Amino acid sequence: MKIICVGRNYLAHVKELDNDLPTEPMFFMKPETALLAPGESFPYPDFSKEIHYETELVLHICKTGKAIDEKSASEYYDAITVGIDFTARDLQNRCKAKGHPWEIAKAFDYSAPFGEFKMIGALKHPEDITFGMKLNGKWVQQGHSRDMIFSFDRIISHVSRFVTLNEGDCIFTGTPQGVGEVHIGDKLELFLEDEPMFWFGIN
Ligand code: ZN
């Protein structure tokens, strides 16, 4: 399986990082080694001093597709959850300044924890999915899928022009505003439609 991540998909977050507004979806990938097993803690890596959380909705791809039309894109995902796109912001800023790829800042081990998938049909408000994260018991990010610059369907259509999607792949769909640092000892709790999905610690 592969993990595809969309960047710059919420206006307020694009502004908080002082990035340009995208005219089409921008994406990057993480390898399977970015997964974090359920119940495990996230090991703070030794190569960064500024690891940021980015709380995101994560789609589950349910069938293989290439060059998918936006109108039929909803047939290609069946379930959703919430996850963290961990980012070594210090390394990412250096990569951006040099025009280098982002892998060392984004694709490192355990950088993509996510919860169990919930069927789209079981959501209370599929037209505007709320999600969020509590850091040490305090809300730090709360998002609404209606605030996305590019819809799920647009993302699937765009990504599949370049990369074939397979059953079991997942797509992180971008973070709303409120990203920030984690520290050793922190506890992260993730929510989908106000329902707690999973939690883990930083060690
Ligand atoms: Zn992200």
Side-chain angles (χ1 to χ4, degrees), residues 91-178:
L91 301 188
Q92 188 194 29
N93 287 337
R94 262 180 262 156
C95 292
K96 281 184 184 173
K98 291 181 181 168
H100 285 178
W102 288 7
E103 271 79 358
I104 60 168
K106 285 284 199 181
F108 54 88
D109 289 353
Y110 316 115
S111 62
F114 57 82
E116 264 183 59
F117 283 102
K118 184 169 180 175
M119 297 307 285
I120 300 271
L123 293 173
K124 285 183 228 126
H125 299 287
E127 75 292 347
D128 183 28
I129 306 161
T130 56
F131 63 104
M133 193 266 281
K134 280 185 186 174
L135 181 66
N136 302 322
K138 260 195 208 153
W139 286 110
V140 289
Q141 285 196 288
Q142 284 177 289
H144 286 264
S145 63
R146 64 162 182 242
D147 293 334
M148 292 189 301
I149 298 170
F150 302 108
S151 67
F152 297 150
D153 294 351
R154 177 79 195 281
I155 291 167
I156 299 248
S157 173
H158 180 78
V159 170
S160 68
R161 283 174 64 199
F162 303 93
V163 182
T164 297
L165 295 176
N166 290 318
E167 183 181 355
D169 289 349
C170 58
I171 304 186
F172 280 65
T173 56
T175 185
Q177 70 196 100

Side-chain angles (χ1 to χ4, degrees), residues 67-84:
I68 298 163
D69 194 82
E70 206 175 317
K71 287 194 201 80
S72 56
S74 62
E75 295 165 22
Y76 290 82
Y77 59 94
D78 60 352
I80 195 161
T81 189
V82 66
I84 299 286

Side-chain angles (χ1 to χ4, degrees), residues 5-7 28 54 56 85 87 106 174-175:
C5 304
V6 174
F28 54 90
E54 295 187 355
E56 310 196 4
D85 164 21
T87 304
K106 285 284 199 181
T175 185

Side-chain angles (χ1 to χ4, degrees), residues 178-194:
V179 300
E181 276 188 71
V182 292
H183 300 95
I184 290 169
D186 283 348
K187 178 184 178 186
L188 286 74
E189 297 169 88
L190 286 96
F191 296 81
L192 183 66
E193 296 195 314
D194 295 330

